[in-house]
Amino acid sequence: MKYALIKTTEILPPLPIQRSFTTQAMKHYQVLQSILIKPLTPSDARELNLGLGILEEYQYQIIKGERVFADAVSAGISSIPCVIIPESTTPTQCAEMRLLLTHCQNKNIVADSLAVRGLVARDGREQTKARFKALGFPNSVFLLLERPSKLPKVIFEAALEGRIKPSVFKTIAKLTTTQQTKVCQLLAFGHDSLCLKDVQELQKIQKQEAAGHIFSNLKRN
């Protein structure tokens, strides 16, 4: 493999074109993520039903990174960073690489929320929200990260240490303030880690207590 800046005009555009919401961000910062490409061969052209004439126009095909490529073109970027795999790479190996990259590129909710936490602390909520909008992110992305960014520091520390998995971290972010306080107490009193079952059990206890409280009030009335 080798790494190089490749002109977008040399890369066969993906079909269908898949755009995301990073075009505005790319206009500010250029392309921050490389794509995986492979030299376009006669056998590739035949497999894609494009005819050998396509080889005169394009030199590479995309293995992974269709959205990055499309957003870069929309942003007017002429060259993008690419990891170029050998021409001899088989279709099966290409598929395996794509699946591996998809698995490795899962969003890191803990790190992303921590970044939002820092931005809000430094610049305030409205300015951070405006920055997201200026970079082309829909409001839903900011709102998705804002809630977990407000979690207590103890929970963040446990997540960064690996004591709380990202999926559990997301669930904790949906708890009430009282339930989150209980989570902090569990972490403080010797729980090396918290699993989803622990959080679900906590939710169940809290609901039972709330139901008991309501029932007691009804009996008194």
Side-chain angles (χ1 to χ4, degrees):
M1 293 188 189
K2 66 177 182 178
Y3 181 86
L5 275 176
I6 302 295
K7 292 180 180 179
T8 54
T9 53
E10 296 179 5
I11 301 172
L12 178 67
L15 291 173
I17 297 293
Q18 301 180 57
R19 293 190 176 88
S20 58
F21 42 75
T22 64
T23 299
Q24 281 300 111
M26 286 186 184
K27 287 180 179 178
H28 284 263
Y29 302 115
Q30 298 296 297
V31 181
L32 301 178
Q33 177 184 341
S34 59
I35 70 171
L36 189 68
I37 63 174
K38 174 185 172 294
L40 193 60
T41 65
S43 61
D44 293 326
R46 284 192 291 268
E47 188 174 330
L48 295 169
N49 295 317
L50 295 174
L52 296 180
I54 199 74
L55 300 174
E56 298 176 5
E57 190 171 355
Y58 301 107
Q59 296 183 37
Y60 302 95
Q61 64 169 314
I62 298 172
I63 304 302
K64 175 71 176 174
E66 293 89 347
R67 287 186 174 87
V68 175
F69 175 85
D71 288 354
V73 171
S74 295
I77 296 170
S78 59
S79 297
I80 58 177
C82 299
V83 174
I84 307 169
I85 62 176
E87 185 178 304
S88 58
T89 306
T90 66
T92 299
Q93 290 171 328
C94 289
E96 289 173 347
M97 289 180 184
R98 181 181 179 88
L99 290 171
L100 177 62
L101 283 170
T102 299
H103 177 72
C104 291
Q105 289 173 350
N106 283 339
K107 296 179 179 65
N108 189 331
I109 186 71
V110 180
D112 292 348
S113 300
L114 190 60
V116 169
R117 184 188 185 98
L119 287 170
V120 171
R122 189 180 67 217
D123 302 328
R125 181 182 186 273
E126 292 307 314
Q127 190 170 336
T128 301
K129 188 176 177 182
R131 179 181 283 111
F132 268 69
K133 184 177 181 180
L135 292 174
F137 290 98
N139 192 45
S140 58
V141 174
F142 173 75
L143 295 177
L144 178 70
L145 296 172
E146 182 186 32
R147 191 169 186 174
S149 75
K150 295 178 180 179
L151 284 170
K153 185 180 178 182
V154 172
I155 295 175
F156 262 105
E157 290 173 347
L160 292 169
E161 291 168 3
R163 296 164 62 197
I164 298 176
K165 292 181 178 180
S167 58
V168 180
F169 180 84
K170 289 170 69 174
T171 303
I172 293 173
K174 298 174 184 177
L175 299 179
T176 64
T177 303
T178 302
Q179 290 170 336
Q180 289 174 9
T181 301
K182 290 284 186 181
V183 170
C184 293
Q185 290 172 351
L186 288 174
L187 291 169
F189 288 109
H191 274 65
D192 291 332
S193 63
L194 285 180
C195 64
L196 189 59
K197 185 178 178 181
D198 295 324
V199 177
Q200 290 172 337
E201 189 65 27
L202 176 63
Q203 287 177 302
K204 186 167 69 175
I205 292 170
Q206 293 288 311
K207 287 176 182 177
Q208 289 171 346
E209 289 177 353
H213 181 69
I214 293 169
F215 184 69
S216 296
N217 285 339
L218 287 172
K219 284 180 68 177
R220 279 198 295 269
N221 293 333

